[in-house]
Amino acid sequence: MAGSNLIGWTRRNFLKASTIASAAAAIPAWLNAAQLSPFSQVNFSGPDSLRAHALSRGLFYGTAVNPSLLDVDGMTAGNTSDPYTLLVAGQANMLVAEYAMKWGPLRPTSATFNFAPADRLMRFAALAGQRVRGHNLCWHESLPDWFKTTATRDNARLLLVEHIQTVASRYRGQIHSWDVVNEAVEPKDGRPDGLRNSPWLGLMGPDYIELAFQTAAIADPGAKLTYNEYDIELDTAEQTAKRGYVMLLLRRLMARNVPIHAVGVQSHLKATGPQPGVGLQSFIREVRKMGLQVYITELDVNTRGLEGGPEAQDYAVAQVYRKYVSLVLPEPNVSAVITWGISAAHTWMNESKVEWAQREDGAPQRPLPFDDKMDATPAFSALRNAIDSSRASVAPVASAPAVDPATLYQPFRVQGSPTTAPPAVKSPRIQ
């Protein structure tokens, strides 16, 4: 892959884009005159990569990936020419599976696990010297079809414990951090504690959250255990209230000595409307007082409602990246920024059928640091510059531990699944 790429943004493009309400400000200083030239190039490989700039400041830049798109065999042989594979390997020092580690794809039946895609990701990360985040161990969505007919109040505890023990133990010592519980708060459901009326809550009660963290701590004691949540970035009344309920949950877990180390702030942002501000900053600082890290876990920018072509999209998206990353990264407990995908070629937005993820003009979304041709977008420069200005240079963080390919295997039957005689539940006791 070439070490530099052309970004054909002319001054006319920017002036045209600046007429849009959400991008009305003058061309920012971080896009200097050289970058505005149609003949200029933005270098993004090697020392100019997001990976190198993040490492130099003790940070993680990561991306969500689909393991099936990665040329693992070519990486093993040292001769891959696949642009996506090279981009992921060159830009990120942390990976997370977009789908492969969720219940649905990971557990096709109640009695079997399919680890092949997740194993593929682990193998790639080991080859590329990258860390991996596990996403996720407990969520109300992406549950397999069999869950509705199999899970009951009698066996839900066993199902959850068995799943976490099996998955987290398999990758024990190889995972940087697990999203143990994902999106457990929903104030609209009307509970005094703000918890979501999820299948897990209905089957087990609110202690399912504590059980998940306790079980993960035993299965993979070296991993950072994370609670991951969305719609807590803005200072709107709705998101401010949700932040408060998340804080209530965190304080409860800390007070009960539940092993939790970090909070994931998903950061699916919009180019139009309110932007993150002091409310999120205060939340991050309060979390720091509790001894918790913060990871920006699913960053991208939706341009629905924004008029204009690709240039207008790119300008607005870059503005959001610059302002947001410059807001959160100076906080010393924010140690990772992970975009939900790396290029527009594989963003979930351009694959989604939901209306709010699509542009009204039908044009593809351009929400990430690279476009569908694997060329750097202005968001790349915005993100890299925000990383550079966030803190002083430090020694690089440690590389990923090695993974033995001989340990990879196909789906297998799990002792104690609901289709066999269940043994006594061996799970940590809730205190």
Side-chain angles (χ1 to χ4, degrees):
M1 182 173 62
S4 59
N5 281 270
L6 183 67
I7 295 183
W9 275 25
T10 65
R11 290 185 180 275
R12 178 178 297 177
N13 292 145
F14 276 106
L15 292 173
K16 182 178 178 181
S18 68
T19 63
I20 299 169
S22 64
I27 296 171
W30 51 266
L31 282 174
N32 58 44
Q35 289 174 292
L36 297 179
S37 168
F39 304 104
S40 68
Q41 294 181 327
V42 174
N43 295 318
F44 59 79
S45 64
D48 297 314
S49 66
L50 292 170
R51 175 174 181 157
H53 282 243
L55 281 170
S56 71
R57 281 152 179 82
L59 298 169
F60 288 105
Y61 165 69
T63 181
V65 296
N66 179 346
S68 68
L69 299 175
L70 298 169
D71 181 15
V72 179
D73 292 338
M75 281 284 291
T76 303
N79 60 6
T80 184
S81 60
D82 176 65
Y84 176 75
T85 299
L86 291 169
L87 190 67
V88 170
Q91 296 299 318
N93 59 339
M94 177 173 281
L95 301 181
V96 57
E98 191 167 358
Y99 298 109
M101 286 189 177
K102 294 174 180 175
W103 271 66
L106 194 61
R107 198 162 182 179
T109 75
S110 61
T112 60
F113 286 73
N114 179 16
F115 283 114
D119 284 347
R120 183 180 180 87
L121 173 64
M122 299 302 297
R123 183 181 173 198
F124 180 89
L127 291 167
Q130 298 163 321
R131 302 306 307 269
V132 176
R133 298 197 73 245
H135 176 81
N136 49 54
L137 296 174
C138 181
W139 191 29
H140 66 281
E141 292 189 19
S142 195
L143 290 171
D145 292 339
W146 59 260
F147 188 89
K148 292 181 181 180
T149 57
T150 302
T152 67
R153 291 186 178 182
D154 292 331
N155 66 18
R157 180 184 178 92
L158 172 65
L159 279 171
L160 182 62
V161 170
E162 172 194 85
H163 183 89
I164 295 175
Q165 285 178 339
T166 303
V167 177
S169 295
R170 177 174 180 78
Y171 301 114
R172 181 182 179 123
Q174 303 171 38
I175 296 290
H176 168 273
S177 49
W178 285 103
D179 285 335
V180 179
V181 177
N182 198 45
E183 303 174 3
V185 172
E186 181 46 88
K188 293 179 182 178
D189 286 351
R191 288 176 54 91
D193 56 11
L195 294 182
R196 181 186 297 275
N197 286 325
S198 70
W200 293 113
L201 185 74
L203 293 170
M204 298 174 57
D207 284 349
Y208 83 89
I209 298 172
E210 299 180 24
L211 176 62
F213 277 97
Q214 297 281 11
T215 307
I218 294 172
D220 192 359
K224 302 294 185 183
L225 305 184
T226 307
Y227 174 74
N228 195 44
E229 190 57 88
Y230 75 105
D231 276 358
I232 58 172
E233 301 86 15
L234 306 183
D235 289 342
T236 61
E238 186 175 85
Q239 294 201 21
T240 298
K242 188 171 183 178
R243 262 198 314 268
Y245 280 111
V246 170
M247 183 61 72
L248 182 67
L249 172 60
L250 296 175
R251 293 195 186 282
R252 174 192 172 190
L253 297 178
M254 296 294 290
R256 293 169 64 86
N257 295 317
V258 174
I260 179 172
H261 309 106
V263 180
V265 180
Q266 291 188 18
S267 310
H268 294 291
L269 304 179
K270 298 179 181 179
T272 59
Q275 296 298 316
V278 295
L280 176 61
Q281 191 177 59
S282 297
F283 174 82
I284 293 172
R285 291 174 180 176
E286 285 300 308
V287 165
R288 183 189 177 198
K289 292 177 184 177
M290 300 163 67
L292 300 177
Q293 290 284 302
V294 171
Y295 309 136
I296 306 302
T297 55
E298 303 182 21
L299 176 61
D300 55 23
V301 179
N302 187 334
T303 60
R304 180 175 176 82
L306 180 75
E307 297 179 358
E311 297 90 351
Q313 280 197 64
D314 286 349
Y315 176 72
V317 169
Q319 288 280 55
V320 175
Y321 270 81
R322 178 184 65 87
K323 293 177 181 178
Y324 183 60
V325 178
S326 296
L327 174 74
V328 297
L329 270 192
E331 300 302 322
N333 59 326
V334 179
S335 55
V337 174
I338 298 144
T339 54
W340 206 240
I342 197 166
S343 83
H346 302 297
T347 174
W348 69 274
M349 289 189 204
N350 291 334
E351 299 171 356
S352 175
K353 302 300 181 184
V354 297
E355 183 178 350
W356 54 265
Q358 301 171 355
R359 286 180 52 82
E360 294 90 334
D361 59 8
Q365 294 267 15
R366 297 170 65 87
L368 295 164
F370 293 85
D371 65 16
D372 56 356
K373 297 180 181 178
M374 312 297 167
D375 289 336
T377 66
F380 168 86
S381 295
L383 177 56
R384 189 175 64 182
N385 290 348
I387 289 172
D388 288 346
S389 62
S390 65
R391 60 193 71 181
S393 298
V394 297
V397 296
S399 60
V403 177
D404 181 3
T407 65
L408 307 182
Y409 59 96
Q410 294 299 311
F412 65 99
R413 191 164 188 81
V414 179
Q415 180 64 31
S417 67
T419 56
T420 65
V425 177
K426 296 180 180 179
S427 60
R429 180 177 298 174
I430 301 298
Q431 300 297 323

